[in-house]
Amino acid sequence: GRVVVRGDMRPARMDRDYRALMKQRTAKVAKVGKVKEVEYAAGEMQARREAENLERGAKWLDQQEEERSVMDEKALVSLLFQLFERRPRWTLKELLHKTQQPQVYLKRSLTKIARYLPSGPHRTYWELKREYTK
C-alpha cells in the first residue's frame, strides 16, 4: 500500500527532567551490550565462518563414522536385499540408518546391486537393478 497520512510524534514537554531521563535510558542500554570492532574484510569473515562450519561438520561426521562398525560385505548385501523386499526404493539416509554402516562402504556395496535415480519423481532414491528384481 501507499502511505497516505504521516504522523510524527514528539513529547509534550522537552524540559531538563525529560532530557535527563532519556540520557539515563540511553546510557543503560549502551552498557548492556558492547560491540566488538572487527578489523576483517567481509570476505575474510565469511571464509572464517565457512571454515568453522566445515570443521564442526567434519567432527560430527567423524563421530557418526566411529559409531558404525563395518560388517561383512555378503551380510550387508543380504541385508540390503531384505530391505529392498520391503520397499522398492530407499534414500541413502534411510539405508544408512537401517544398516548402521559407514557411508562410503554402503555406497560401494549399493552400486553393485542397485542404481541411483538422479531425476524424475523418485529423485535421490536407490532401487534394485533389473537383474535382481523378480
Side-chain angles (χ1 to χ4, degrees):
R2 286 179 40 190
V3 176
V4 178
V5 178
R6 183 175 156 181
D8 292 328
M9 296 176 59
R10 290 190 180 151
R13 320 175 291 161
M14 287 289 287
D15 59 355
R16 255 185 277 139
D17 296 334
Y18 181 76
R19 287 190 179 130
L21 177 67
M22 292 309 293
K23 279 185 182 179
Q24 286 176 353
R25 285 184 185 174
T26 307
K28 186 176 179 182
V29 171
K31 287 181 186 176
V32 172
K34 292 186 178 181
V35 178
K36 288 184 181 179
E37 289 186 26
V38 180
E39 296 181 8
Y40 302 114
E44 289 180 38
M45 196 62 163
Q46 184 177 0
R48 179 177 282 194
R49 281 190 195 131
E50 288 173 0
E52 288 172 359
N53 289 340
L54 285 174
E55 189 176 310
R56 281 190 212 117
K59 286 179 184 176
W60 182 81
L61 283 174
D62 289 343
Q63 289 172 354
Q64 294 293 81
E65 292 296 318
E66 286 176 12
E67 293 173 4
R68 298 177 175 151
S69 60
V70 177
M71 67 169 56
D72 180 43
E73 189 172 1
K74 288 182 182 179
L76 177 60
V77 169
S78 155
L79 177 60
L80 288 171
F81 278 127
Q82 289 174 5
L83 290 172
F84 280 111
E85 281 178 8
R86 285 193 224 162
R87 278 189 4 214
R89 290 172 206 87
W90 292 82
T91 63
L92 182 63
K93 191 174 183 179
E94 292 169 335
L95 290 170
L96 283 169
H97 177 70
K98 293 286 186 183
T99 61
Q100 292 297 313
Q101 295 300 301
Q103 183 174 346
V104 175
Y105 184 65
L106 178 63
K107 270 189 171 180
R108 190 177 333 132
S109 299
L110 259 178
T111 54
K112 294 176 184 176
I113 65 165
R115 67 185 189 107
Y116 180 72
L117 305 172
S119 62
H122 303 290
R123 199 180 91 205
T124 71
Y125 279 79
W126 289 83
E127 70 178 5
L128 278 178
K129 289 182 178 176
R130 291 189 182 183
E131 56 260 25
Y132 296 111
T133 55
K134 294 179 181 178

